Every structure is written in C-alpha cells, then in structure tokens.
Amino acid sequence: MKTFLPLFSVLLLCACTQQQEKSLAVLLETAPQIEGKTEYLDSPYVTAGDRLYMVGHQDGSFPELGWHIKGEMSGIWNHPIKLMDGFEVVLSWEDFSITLDNAERFTNFPMANSHGFQIPQKEITVERLQFVPDGEQGMVIQFLLKNNGTAEQHMDFEFTGHTDLRPTWLGERTEMIDAEDTSEFTTDFQGWLVKDKNNPWFVGFGSDIPPSVYEEGQKKYNGLGRADRLIYPLQLAPNSATTLNFFIAGSYTSKDEALTTMERLKAEYTRLLSAKQQRYATLARQSKLTIPDKNMEQTFEWLKYNCDWLVRTVPEVGTGIGAGIPDYPWWFGVDSEYALQGYMAIGQKDIVYKTIALLDSVSNAVNGNGKIIHEMSTNGAVFNPGNINETPQYASLLWSVYQWTGDGDFLEQYFPTVEKGMQWLLEANDADGNGFPEGFGMMEIHGLDSEMIDVAAYSQKGFVDAALMAEALGNTSLAEEYTAIADDLKEKINTKFWSEDFSSYADFIGTDEQTLHLIEDAIIRADTLDKPWAIEEMEATRKFIQENPSEHPRPFVLHHNWVVNTPMEVGIADTTKALKALETAKQFVNPFGVFVTGIDRDESAGSDEGAYKAPPIFTYTGAVMTLPTGVQARAENNYGRPNEALNYLERMTRSFSYALPGSMYEVSPDFGMMVQAWNIYSYAYPIVQQFFGIEPDAANKTITIRPQMPDKWEEASLENVAIGDNLISIFYSKKGDDLDVQVTQTNPEWELVLAVPGKAKVMGKGEGIQLSNTLK
C-alpha cells in the first residue's frame, strides 16, 4: 500500500553554511583515511561501534554473508539481535532510475566510511557516509548529492529498509525465538518502526525530514523480515549540492528505548561524530610508532583502530572484545588471551579489564573449576566451555596485565581462578601422570587431542607466571610448587617433544594407533591438495611405525603445524634446538606469513615473492594466518634475531589494506575475518616489548628498556606508552657505530633502566635518561 503525504512537497536546497556545519564529509576532512582497491569493491567492510555495527560490501550493496548463521552475518547488528539485512537506495527520474549499489570508490576512516557513486547520465555524484556513535544502539547515514551539470535535476530519492529482527547465534538456548516482523509508519520520527511479533525487539529508520510517500517495498532477503520504503522528491539546481540524512535505531528491550535513541541521533549526530573522532585521536597518540617503514607504521596505527572496532557491549551480559568480524563478533577465551597482551602495549587498558571480568565471571559460572571458556555468544550462551590451552594462557595474560598496571587488587581478584585452573589442568587432564595435559589446543584438526606441543608449552609458561603471581601475593610455598612444575615441564618438552630427525618439536605425543589414523587423514588431505612431498614424508613415518612399533606414546612430526614453534615463542627451547627449529620453520612460509598447517604449503613456500590467487571457495585448508606469523616473530626475537623477526612482520604487512583498506584479514591476505583481534598481538609484542625492549614492572615503579632493533630501523621512536600511572617515550638512533637512545617519562618518581645488551647500562629517576655509546 502506497501512502502520500501531500503537505510535504520536499525541496532539498540547503544554505552552504548550514550544509557545512552538518556535513560528515567536512568533519572527516582531517581524519586519517585510506581508499580501497577497485578490484575489492565486492568484498566486505564494517562500520564499527561498541553497541551496533554494520557489515556490507564496499560497493554499497548488502549481500547475504557469513556461515555462522548462514547468510545472516552481514547487515546491521545490535547484539544479541540483528536489526536489518541492509538498505537500498534508488534515484528515479521520469526517464531513468539507478540503484546505488555499484560504488566506484570506497574510503575507510577509523570511525566512519564512505562510498562514492557516479551517475554520468545525469551528471550527478553521490557520496554515502556513515558512522556508529559510541555507546549508541543506532547509526547515521548521510548522502551528499551534487549536480555537476548545467540543467536542473528533479528526481525521487527512494530509501528501502530491509529489516530482519532475529536472534544471534545460539539464541534458541536462551529462548530467543524469531517471529515474523510487523511494521508501521510513525509520525514520532516520520519513518518506519518495525517490531518482532513475539518479542520486544524494535528497529526504526527514517530521515530528519518527512517523506512524501511511504509504502511497502519488495522483500529480497531470507528470513521473517520486511521491506518498507520512504520516498523523497529532490530538486537540485545546476552546480549545487544537498545532503539527506538517515538514522537507524534499535532496541532488544523496548520501543521507548529505540525512539529515544532515534531522537538523540537526529539532534546530536555531529557532536557524536566529533566526540568519536577525538577519542580515536587519543588512540592514535598512545604508543605512537615512528619507523622508516611507513607502510608498517601505518599498519601499526590502524591496528589500534581495529582493536576498538571489535569492542562488543551487551549490558545484560558484559563488555569484551570480539574475535573477528563478520563471523566471530562475540567473545572468546584464547583469542582474548593473545590479543589483550597487545591491547595493553597500545594503552587500551579499560577494555582489557572489562574483557577479563567477563571471561572470568562466565567461566566460573559455567565451569566453576578454573577452566576458561572458549566461545560464548552475545546472549550469554556458551558454545565451547574451553580447550585445554586456554586455562594456562589465562594465567599468562593476567601476569602480563599486572606487569603493565601494578594493580594488586586486580591480582587478588583473579588469582583464585588461576589457582583452581592450574589444579584442574593437571588433575583432570593428565591421565598418564607424565606432566603433559591431554586435549585440544590451538589446532582444530580431528583427532589432535592427545598431548599437544602448544598445550605443553603454554602450560609451562602458565605455571611460570602463576608462580610469579603467587609470589607477588605472598604465597611463597605455592610459588615454589608452581616453579617446580614449570621447571619439570621445560626439561621434558626439550627432551620428549624434540625430533632431531626433523629439527623440529613434534606436533604431538600419541600412540601408534592414533598416529596411524591421523596419517591416513593427512595423506588424503595432502593428496587432495596435490602435495606429493607431504605424502612421501607421511608414508615414510607410517612405515617407520609399522616396522618399529611401540606400546608407549611417543612424539611425532606429522602436520608441521605452526604450534611446533610455541616452545620458542614462550622462550623455553634451549638455544641449539631453537635455532634449528627456527630455520626449519622458514620452509613453511609464503610471502604473507606462516602456514597454519605446514603440509599445506604451496609453491610460494619459503619465498618473499609470488603471485597470489584466492581460492574460489573459502576454506581454512592451506591458510596462512597472522597469529602463527606473529608467534614466529616473537620466537625469533627471543633468540636474538630481530632481523628475522622483522621479516615476518614485513610479510604480514603485505596483507594490510590488501582487501579492506585500513585492516588486516585473519587469513592472509584476504580470507576469513576482515578484522581480527589477535593481529595486535602479532605486532605489538614484537615491536613494543622486543624491538623497543620495554619490560614493565609497574608494581615496583620500574621500567627496563632493552632495545633489540633490526638493522633496517636506524631511526625509530615509540611515544606515550602507558605503564601504571606513567607514560614513557623512547627515541632510538643508530648511525654506523654511533648509538643514541633517549627515554622520557611523565612520572619522575619511577626508576628507568636502559640497557643495550653487552654494551652499556644507564639507570635513574627524573624526567628521563639517555645512553650515548660508540658500538665498537
């Protein structure tokens, strides 16, 4: 049914000054921005917010994306519900019409994005800009239309909202049952208000001016949603421009909440954008990196913005970082345990505390034994109560945070979970009593649930860090117990997991029977991927097992999974083994980084160059990921090889802005999640804590700096690094044999220790210290 509002014959002719005051484009002129590639206009982007976010394609369309809820991970989400599948804009003249879903340009800002459309038939250009204000269950979309011709233009602007109020993943576990949506045009905000028939879920959309027509649209998406249209007549004089604003607001609790958000967005959208810009400028100033490699410098800056894009708040459940967008926008244990170490290094402490509070409370509610959950949806339903490695890695995360903050109350609050968890780790998961917990770690390959190398390495590190926490809390006897376990694990990992034949740590320790089953599966995988070298290697291993059977579990190098490098990541490999293993690892890289599973390597393995062609269908098989690559960078630095570490960072940097400008995909260079939380671990730890060598000890108000710079970085600085109630900045310069390192701080009561290994050491309090030394 079409309804006309005859009193509103709308002519959008705004005074230039008023337009500029309310133009998002003007506000964004000085903001950092990166323009996308034409060949990736049909790939995803995100307009990020902590309450609401939008996912569509860079060309302005909204295809059905995602697999977690098939075809539903795109659109507009206000977790724990979805609001809309997207929207569609059509410009109509009497003789011509065009849908704005084929943008010629996409530009990303840290806090907004824009799509540029050309309509040469009418000499019209359209710019669509959008952003999500902080803390709001709504968003703002602004269209800037320019008539570049000499003829006056009369057209209709048709905005169709494709609403779909539906629950998040696992909604049925908390009795969130989707129902048909109903809609009504409301004069409350001169737009459409849509409600789920059986739930208090609402979404409204409209402009800041009334439409001339409102009507039902044509439904084009799956689900129980609707399509409703608003039409606005436009008149554009020659060489003139005008703006048209739209607002979308939702609520999963009440109509009044949605209406209040709508009213606030309309009244305050320019202030809200300015506030978000100022907040992002603060993020940029924190841990500000300046290095010769400007691509990597820009990558580091934008990864700080990416971190903020992943903040997810559902007040009834909590606040924490999601793992990735679009398919992992909810909360994870291990993803956070990697990522939050990076968040601390870039000064984003508040979200670190909130994420830990969420993970700790839910883990204790669901498990109650110190075991840390793996994955939880935004309605509070836990999908996986936890893999083995997540519990010891939680201990390491907490100790890392404490080093940065010195917050004793924080340690006292969360150490009881650690104490229970470390007890559970060995008592419930070490059936043979050899000290190695059994069960799944980071590798999600069927059957890899025996004694895994990453579980062993992270358990060892977890006991080391738990011992340090116990000591800080005055429990010396427990600290000694944990230290003894850690020492024992370190010795066993270096003997029982090491394979001299492969110059590598083993993927796992398992029985012959288990390994033979894994070999059969792996041979099928390698044959499917046409990897004859891998088949030959695994057939040789099978023959060895058959000719030399064992009644006891033993180590096997089978998949060459990236986790074989975790002993070097945590620094427990003895130097001889470490250097051999680091060289072995170089066989399983491509120009973008480290293969998740080494037997998947392709012809680009071991090289810095090579043509890239994306597979036609997404799969994690054959994947190169940022996390394994970052782990390798940290591992190289642990053994005094910063040049090799930098090489891994350079590989990762090739995937920055490869598909989505301003971001880095989970699977390099353009697969999986377009924003991924653990990317910041892969950069911030090697750069902040190893290249610049920052060793925080906030509890004792002491900071040690041991720079370990790659040769390419002759000039480098890192400014405004937050440690406790202090900010430090480091300025590094090396010209030939001349070295100069300056460290400044904002709190003169802290002690600074500046040490160049094997060269010199300077200590002192005050505003800063400096080391000038001739390296001979």
Side-chain angles (χ1 to χ4, degrees), residues 21 89 140 218 271 311 325 378 385 398 411 413 445 462 475 521 558 560 571 602 689 694:
E21 287 174 2
V89 171
V140 181
Q218 183 176 355
R271 182 192 65 78
V311 174
I325 294 175
T378 50
L398 295 183
L411 212 57
Q413 180 178 356
I445 293 178
N475 194 336
D521 292 342
L558 188 62
H560 297 282
D602 57 24
Q689 296 187 247
I694 296 176

Side-chain angles (χ1 to χ4, degrees), residues 157-172:
F157 186 104
E158 303 174 8
F159 185 101
T160 301
H162 294 281
T163 52
D164 184 13
L165 293 158
R166 59 149 298 135
T168 187
W169 182 55
L170 306 183
E172 69 282 356

